[in-house]
PDB file of all heavy atoms in Angstrom:
ATOM      1  N   GLY A 225       4.593  24.078  15.597  1.00 91.00           N
ATOM      2  CA  GLY A 225       4.652  24.687  14.275  1.00 91.00           C
ATOM      3  C   GLY A 225       5.571  24.004  13.290  1.00 91.00           C
ATOM      4  O   GLY A 225       5.972  22.849  13.457  1.00 91.00           O
ATOM      5  N   GLU A 226       5.921  24.761  12.255  1.00 91.00           N
ATOM      6  CA  GLU A 226       6.647  24.206  11.120  1.00 91.00           C
ATOM      7  C   GLU A 226       8.082  23.821  11.454  1.00 91.00           C
ATOM      8  O   GLU A 226       8.635  22.895  10.864  1.00 91.00           O
ATOM      9  CB  GLU A 226       6.627  25.204   9.957  1.00 91.00           C
ATOM     10  CG  GLU A 226       5.230  25.574   9.475  1.00 91.00           C
ATOM     11  CD  GLU A 226       4.377  24.356   9.163  1.00 91.00           C
ATOM     12  OE1 GLU A 226       4.891  23.441   8.495  1.00 91.00           O
ATOM     13  OE2 GLU A 226       3.215  24.327   9.583  1.00 91.00           O
ATOM     14  N   ASN A 227       8.716  24.546  12.379  1.00 90.00           N
ATOM     15  CA  ASN A 227      10.080  24.197  12.754  1.00 90.00           C
ATOM     16  C   ASN A 227      10.146  22.782  13.324  1.00 90.00           C
ATOM     17  O   ASN A 227      11.022  21.989  12.971  1.00 90.00           O
ATOM     18  CB  ASN A 227      10.638  25.180  13.789  1.00 90.00           C
ATOM     19  CG  ASN A 227      10.828  26.574  13.240  1.00 90.00           C
ATOM     20  OD1 ASN A 227      11.048  26.749  12.052  1.00 90.00           O
ATOM     21  ND2 ASN A 227      10.746  27.570  14.098  1.00 90.00           N
ATOM     22  N   THR A 228       9.223  22.489  14.240  1.00 90.00           N
ATOM     23  CA  THR A 228       9.198  21.162  14.861  1.00 90.00           C
ATOM     24  C   THR A 228       8.959  20.097  13.810  1.00 90.00           C
ATOM     25  O   THR A 228       9.648  19.069  13.768  1.00 90.00           O
ATOM     26  CB  THR A 228       8.083  21.095  15.928  1.00 90.00           C
ATOM     27  OG1 THR A 228       8.256  22.157  16.868  1.00 90.00           O
ATOM     28  CG2 THR A 228       8.111  19.762  16.647  1.00 90.00           C
ATOM     29  N   LYS A 229       7.999  20.344  12.927  1.00 91.00           N
ATOM     30  CA  LYS A 229       7.673  19.347  11.905  1.00 91.00           C
ATOM     31  C   LYS A 229       8.824  19.147  10.927  1.00 91.00           C
ATOM     32  O   LYS A 229       9.149  18.014  10.552  1.00 91.00           O
ATOM     33  CB  LYS A 229       6.374  19.746  11.186  1.00 91.00           C
ATOM     34  CG  LYS A 229       5.146  19.570  12.076  1.00 91.00           C
ATOM     35  CD  LYS A 229       3.849  19.875  11.338  1.00 91.00           C
ATOM     36  CE  LYS A 229       3.563  21.337  11.292  1.00 91.00           C
ATOM     37  NZ  LYS A 229       2.214  21.625  10.737  1.00 91.00           N
ATOM     38  N   ALA A 230       9.463  20.244  10.510  1.00 91.00           N
ATOM     39  CA  ALA A 230      10.585  20.118   9.586  1.00 91.00           C
ATOM     40  C   ALA A 230      11.733  19.344  10.214  1.00 91.00           C
ATOM     41  O   ALA A 230      12.411  18.543   9.546  1.00 91.00           O
ATOM     42  CB  ALA A 230      11.056  21.502   9.151  1.00 91.00           C
ATOM     43  N   SER A 231      11.976  19.573  11.503  1.00 90.00           N
ATOM     44  CA  SER A 231      13.048  18.851  12.203  1.00 90.00           C
ATOM     45  C   SER A 231      12.768  17.358  12.221  1.00 90.00           C
ATOM     46  O   SER A 231      13.656  16.535  11.970  1.00 90.00           O
ATOM     47  CB  SER A 231      13.187  19.383  13.638  1.00 90.00           C
ATOM     48  OG  SER A 231      13.520  20.752  13.662  1.00 90.00           O
ATOM     49  N   ILE A 232      11.523  16.995  12.523  1.00 91.00           N
ATOM     50  CA  ILE A 232      11.172  15.582  12.619  1.00 91.00           C
ATOM     51  C   ILE A 232      11.201  14.918  11.242  1.00 91.00           C
ATOM     52  O   ILE A 232      11.667  13.779  11.099  1.00 91.00           O
ATOM     53  CB  ILE A 232       9.797  15.413  13.303  1.00 91.00           C
ATOM     54  CG1 ILE A 232       9.896  15.839  14.766  1.00 91.00           C
ATOM     55  CG2 ILE A 232       9.307  13.971  13.202  1.00 91.00           C
ATOM     56  CD1 ILE A 232       8.573  15.811  15.508  1.00 91.00           C
ATOM     57  N   ILE A 233      10.731  15.616  10.212  1.00 93.00           N
ATOM     58  CA  ILE A 233      10.778  15.043   8.860  1.00 93.00           C
ATOM     59  C   ILE A 233      12.223  14.780   8.445  1.00 93.00           C
ATOM     60  O   ILE A 233      12.555  13.713   7.909  1.00 93.00           O
ATOM     61  CB  ILE A 233      10.082  15.986   7.854  1.00 93.00           C
ATOM     62  CG1 ILE A 233       8.564  15.985   8.080  1.00 93.00           C
ATOM     63  CG2 ILE A 233      10.389  15.561   6.419  1.00 93.00           C
ATOM     64  CD1 ILE A 233       7.814  17.018   7.265  1.00 93.00           C
ATOM     65  N   THR A 234      13.104  15.764   8.709  1.00 91.00           N
ATOM     66  CA  THR A 234      14.500  15.618   8.302  1.00 91.00           C
ATOM     67  C   THR A 234      15.181  14.481   9.051  1.00 91.00           C
ATOM     68  O   THR A 234      15.862  13.642   8.450  1.00 91.00           O
ATOM     69  CB  THR A 234      15.259  16.937   8.551  1.00 91.00           C
ATOM     70  OG1 THR A 234      14.584  17.998   7.885  1.00 91.00           O
ATOM     71  CG2 THR A 234      16.683  16.845   8.030  1.00 91.00           C
ATOM     72  N   ARG A 235      15.013  14.450  10.370  1.00 91.00           N
ATOM     73  CA  ARG A 235      15.607  13.363  11.143  1.00 91.00           C
ATOM     74  C   ARG A 235      14.895  12.041  10.847  1.00 91.00           C
ATOM     75  O   ARG A 235      15.491  10.966  10.929  1.00 91.00           O
ATOM     76  CB  ARG A 235      15.541  13.662  12.644  1.00 91.00           C
ATOM     77  CG  ARG A 235      16.243  14.933  13.081  1.00 91.00           C
ATOM     78  CD  ARG A 235      17.638  15.064  12.500  1.00 91.00           C
ATOM     79  NE  ARG A 235      18.505  13.938  12.858  1.00 91.00           N
ATOM     80  CZ  ARG A 235      19.646  13.657  12.254  1.00 91.00           C
ATOM     81  NH1 ARG A 235      20.063  14.413  11.243  1.00 91.00           N
ATOM     82  NH2 ARG A 235      20.381  12.634  12.655  1.00 91.00           N
ATOM     83  N   GLY A 236      13.637  12.137  10.469  1.00 93.00           N
ATOM     84  CA  GLY A 236      12.894  10.928  10.120  1.00 93.00           C
ATOM     85  C   GLY A 236      13.464  10.247   8.899  1.00 93.00           C
ATOM     86  O   GLY A 236      13.511   9.014   8.817  1.00 93.00           O
ATOM     87  N   LEU A 237      13.921  11.031   7.909  1.00 95.00           N
ATOM     88  CA  LEU A 237      14.523  10.451   6.723  1.00 95.00           C
ATOM     89  C   LEU A 237      15.796   9.679   7.083  1.00 95.00           C
ATOM     90  O   LEU A 237      16.050   8.606   6.539  1.00 95.00           O
ATOM     91  CB  LEU A 237      14.831  11.534   5.690  1.00 95.00           C
ATOM     92  CG  LEU A 237      15.461  11.051   4.385  1.00 95.00           C
ATOM     93  CD1 LEU A 237      14.552  10.062   3.666  1.00 95.00           C
ATOM     94  CD2 LEU A 237      15.794  12.231   3.471  1.00 95.00           C
ATOM     95  N   VAL A 238      16.583  10.218   8.014  1.00 93.00           N
ATOM     96  CA  VAL A 238      17.775   9.510   8.482  1.00 93.00           C
ATOM     97  C   VAL A 238      17.386   8.200   9.151  1.00 93.00           C
ATOM     98  O   VAL A 238      17.976   7.140   8.902  1.00 93.00           O
ATOM     99  CB  VAL A 238      18.583  10.392   9.455  1.00 93.00           C
ATOM    100  CG1 VAL A 238      19.774   9.623  10.026  1.00 93.00           C
ATOM    101  CG2 VAL A 238      19.056  11.665   8.763  1.00 93.00           C
ATOM    102  N   GLU A 239      16.366   8.276   9.991  1.00 93.00           N
ATOM    103  CA  GLU A 239      15.901   7.091  10.716  1.00 93.00           C
ATOM    104  C   GLU A 239      15.409   6.021   9.740  1.00 93.00           C
ATOM    105  O   GLU A 239      15.710   4.832   9.886  1.00 93.00           O
ATOM    106  CB  GLU A 239      14.782   7.521  11.669  1.00 93.00           C
ATOM    107  CG  GLU A 239      14.573   6.613  12.864  1.00 93.00           C
ATOM    108  CD  GLU A 239      13.783   7.291  13.967  1.00 93.00           C
ATOM    109  OE1 GLU A 239      14.251   8.323  14.501  1.00 93.00           O
ATOM    110  OE2 GLU A 239      12.691   6.796  14.294  1.00 93.00           O
ATOM    111  N   MET A 240      14.643   6.444   8.761  1.00 95.00           N
ATOM    112  CA  MET A 240      14.142   5.519   7.744  1.00 95.00           C
ATOM    113  C   MET A 240      15.289   4.853   6.990  1.00 95.00           C
ATOM    114  O   MET A 240      15.287   3.638   6.759  1.00 95.00           O
ATOM    115  CB  MET A 240      13.249   6.277   6.751  1.00 95.00           C
ATOM    116  CG  MET A 240      11.918   6.738   7.300  1.00 95.00           C
ATOM    117  SD  MET A 240      11.077   7.931   6.193  1.00 95.00           S
ATOM    118  CE  MET A 240      10.913   6.955   4.697  1.00 95.00           C
ATOM    119  N   THR A 241      16.287   5.665   6.615  1.00 96.00           N
ATOM    120  CA  THR A 241      17.402   5.142   5.832  1.00 96.00           C
ATOM    121  C   THR A 241      18.234   4.160   6.652  1.00 96.00           C
ATOM    122  O   THR A 241      18.605   3.087   6.167  1.00 96.00           O
ATOM    123  CB  THR A 241      18.284   6.297   5.317  1.00 96.00           C
ATOM    124  OG1 THR A 241      17.472   7.204   4.579  1.00 96.00           O
ATOM    125  CG2 THR A 241      19.397   5.778   4.424  1.00 96.00           C
ATOM    126  N   ASP A 242      18.532   4.534   7.888  1.00 95.00           N
ATOM    127  CA  ASP A 242      19.300   3.632   8.764  1.00 95.00           C
ATOM    128  C   ASP A 242      18.615   2.274   8.871  1.00 95.00           C
ATOM    129  O   ASP A 242      19.253   1.222   8.738  1.00 95.00           O
ATOM    130  CB  ASP A 242      19.437   4.241  10.162  1.00 95.00           C
ATOM    131  CG  ASP A 242      20.499   5.328  10.228  1.00 95.00           C
ATOM    132  OD1 ASP A 242      21.257   5.484   9.258  1.00 95.00           O
ATOM    133  OD2 ASP A 242      20.566   6.015  11.265  1.00 95.00           O
ATOM    134  N   PHE A 243      17.319   2.307   9.134  1.00 96.00           N
ATOM    135  CA  PHE A 243      16.576   1.057   9.315  1.00 96.00           C
ATOM    136  C   PHE A 243      16.568   0.237   8.032  1.00 96.00           C
ATOM    137  O   PHE A 243      16.883  -0.953   8.032  1.00 96.00           O
ATOM    138  CB  PHE A 243      15.137   1.348   9.742  1.00 96.00           C
ATOM    139  CG  PHE A 243      14.290   0.116   9.866  1.00 96.00           C
ATOM    140  CD1 PHE A 243      14.171  -0.557  11.067  1.00 96.00           C
ATOM    141  CD2 PHE A 243      13.605  -0.398   8.762  1.00 96.00           C
ATOM    142  CE1 PHE A 243      13.403  -1.713  11.183  1.00 96.00           C
ATOM    143  CE2 PHE A 243      12.839  -1.546   8.856  1.00 96.00           C
ATOM    144  CZ  PHE A 243      12.740  -2.202  10.074  1.00 96.00           C
ATOM    145  N   ALA A 244      16.205   0.865   6.926  1.00 97.00           N
ATOM    146  CA  ALA A 244      16.061   0.129   5.673  1.00 97.00           C
ATOM    147  C   ALA A 244      17.385  -0.469   5.218  1.00 97.00           C
ATOM    148  O   ALA A 244      17.438  -1.618   4.762  1.00 97.00           O
ATOM    149  CB  ALA A 244      15.486   1.046   4.586  1.00 97.00           C
ATOM    150  N   VAL A 245      18.467   0.289   5.340  1.00 96.00           N
ATOM    151  CA  VAL A 245      19.782  -0.218   4.941  1.00 96.00           C
ATOM    152  C   VAL A 245      20.181  -1.408   5.807  1.00 96.00           C
ATOM    153  O   VAL A 245      20.760  -2.392   5.320  1.00 96.00           O
ATOM    154  CB  VAL A 245      20.838   0.905   5.008  1.00 96.00           C
ATOM    155  CG1 VAL A 245      22.249   0.347   4.858  1.00 96.00           C
ATOM    156  CG2 VAL A 245      20.570   1.939   3.921  1.00 96.00           C
ATOM    157  N   ALA A 246      19.851  -1.352   7.093  1.00 96.00           N
ATOM    158  CA  ALA A 246      20.151  -2.478   7.984  1.00 96.00           C
ATOM    159  C   ALA A 246      19.402  -3.740   7.582  1.00 96.00           C
ATOM    160  O   ALA A 246      19.844  -4.857   7.866  1.00 96.00           O
ATOM    161  CB  ALA A 246      19.802  -2.105   9.432  1.00 96.00           C
ATOM    162  N   GLN A 247      18.272  -3.564   6.881  1.00 96.00           N
ATOM    163  CA  GLN A 247      17.485  -4.711   6.427  1.00 96.00           C
ATOM    164  C   GLN A 247      17.903  -5.183   5.033  1.00 96.00           C
ATOM    165  O   GLN A 247      17.370  -6.169   4.527  1.00 96.00           O
ATOM    166  CB  GLN A 247      15.992  -4.354   6.408  1.00 96.00           C
ATOM    167  CG  GLN A 247      15.437  -3.843   7.726  1.00 96.00           C
ATOM    168  CD  GLN A 247      15.628  -4.810   8.873  1.00 96.00           C
ATOM    169  OE1 GLN A 247      15.410  -6.013   8.710  1.00 96.00           O
ATOM    170  NE2 GLN A 247      16.032  -4.303  10.037  1.00 96.00           N
ATOM    171  N   GLY A 248      18.840  -4.458   4.392  1.00 96.00           N
ATOM    172  CA  GLY A 248      19.328  -4.880   3.082  1.00 96.00           C
ATOM    173  C   GLY A 248      18.962  -3.968   1.937  1.00 96.00           C
ATOM    174  O   GLY A 248      19.210  -4.296   0.776  1.00 96.00           O
ATOM    175  N   ALA A 249      18.372  -2.800   2.236  1.00 97.00           N
ATOM    176  CA  ALA A 249      17.962  -1.868   1.182  1.00 97.00           C
ATOM    177  C   ALA A 249      19.142  -1.043   0.685  1.00 97.00           C
ATOM    178  O   ALA A 249      20.174  -0.927   1.355  1.00 97.00           O
ATOM    179  CB  ALA A 249      16.870  -0.937   1.702  1.00 97.00           C
ATOM    180  N   GLN A 250      18.968  -0.428  -0.487  1.00 96.00           N
ATOM    181  CA  GLN A 250      19.933   0.522  -1.015  1.00 96.00           C
ATOM    182  C   GLN A 250      19.571   1.913  -0.480  1.00 96.00           C
ATOM    183  O   GLN A 250      18.408   2.328  -0.566  1.00 96.00           O
ATOM    184  CB  GLN A 250      19.886   0.540  -2.545  1.00 96.00           C
ATOM    185  CG  GLN A 250      20.264  -0.782  -3.185  1.00 96.00           C
ATOM    186  CD  GLN A 250      21.699  -1.186  -2.859  1.00 96.00           C
ATOM    187  OE1 GLN A 250      22.611  -0.352  -2.928  1.00 96.00           O
ATOM    188  NE2 GLN A 250      21.900  -2.440  -2.503  1.00 96.00           N
ATOM    189  N   PRO A 251      20.550   2.643   0.083  1.00 93.00           N
ATOM    190  CA  PRO A 251      20.212   3.951   0.669  1.00 93.00           C
ATOM    191  C   PRO A 251      19.570   4.914  -0.317  1.00 93.00           C
ATOM    192  O   PRO A 251      18.705   5.714   0.056  1.00 93.00           O
ATOM    193  CB  PRO A 251      21.564   4.473   1.185  1.00 93.00           C
ATOM    194  CG  PRO A 251      22.607   3.651   0.503  1.00 93.00           C
ATOM    195  CD  PRO A 251      21.977   2.326   0.228  1.00 93.00           C
ATOM    196  N   GLY A 252      19.969   4.852  -1.600  1.00 94.00           N
ATOM    197  CA  GLY A 252      19.403   5.762  -2.583  1.00 94.00           C
ATOM    198  C   GLY A 252      17.908   5.622  -2.759  1.00 94.00           C
ATOM    199  O   GLY A 252      17.219   6.587  -3.086  1.00 94.00           O
ATOM    200  N   THR A 253      17.376   4.418  -2.532  1.00 96.00           N
ATOM    201  CA  THR A 253      15.934   4.203  -2.682  1.00 96.00           C
ATOM    202  C   THR A 253      15.144   5.065  -1.719  1.00 96.00           C
ATOM    203  O   THR A 253      14.067   5.575  -2.049  1.00 96.00           O
ATOM    204  CB  THR A 253      15.595   2.714  -2.465  1.00 96.00           C
ATOM    205  OG1 THR A 253      16.361   1.927  -3.370  1.00 96.00           O
ATOM    206  CG2 THR A 253      14.112   2.444  -2.684  1.00 96.00           C
ATOM    207  N   LEU A 254      15.691   5.256  -0.524  1.00 95.00           N
ATOM    208  CA  LEU A 254      14.986   6.050   0.488  1.00 95.00           C
ATOM    209  C   LEU A 254      15.031   7.534   0.174  1.00 95.00           C
ATOM    210  O   LEU A 254      14.311   8.314   0.805  1.00 95.00           O
ATOM    211  CB  LEU A 254      15.577   5.772   1.877  1.00 95.00           C
ATOM    212  CG  LEU A 254      15.062   4.520   2.611  1.00 95.00           C
ATOM    213  CD1 LEU A 254      13.581   4.649   2.932  1.00 95.00           C
ATOM    214  CD2 LEU A 254      15.320   3.239   1.829  1.00 95.00           C
ATOM    215  N   GLN A 255      15.818   7.922  -0.787  1.00 93.00           N
ATOM    216  CA  GLN A 255      15.869   9.326  -1.198  1.00 93.00           C
ATOM    217  C   GLN A 255      15.057   9.562  -2.466  1.00 93.00           C
ATOM    218  O   GLN A 255      15.053  10.673  -3.004  1.00 93.00           O
ATOM    219  CB  GLN A 255      17.331   9.735  -1.423  1.00 93.00           C
ATOM    220  CG  GLN A 255      18.155   9.658  -0.148  1.00 93.00           C
ATOM    221  CD  GLN A 255      19.638   9.642  -0.435  1.00 93.00           C
ATOM    222  OE1 GLN A 255      20.095  10.293  -1.374  1.00 93.00           O
ATOM    223  NE2 GLN A 255      20.391   8.914   0.350  1.00 93.00           N
TER     224      GLN A 255
END
Side-chain angles (χ1 to χ4, degrees):
E226 301 308 314
N227 293 332
T228 305
K229 288 184 278 188
S231 299
I232 293 176
I233 289 172
T234 305
R235 301 313 302 164
L237 180 60
V238 176
E239 204 162 299
M240 290 168 59
T241 304
D242 282 350
F243 176 92
V245 169
Q247 304 303 317
Q250 297 298 315
T253 304
L254 277 296
Q255 297 163 35

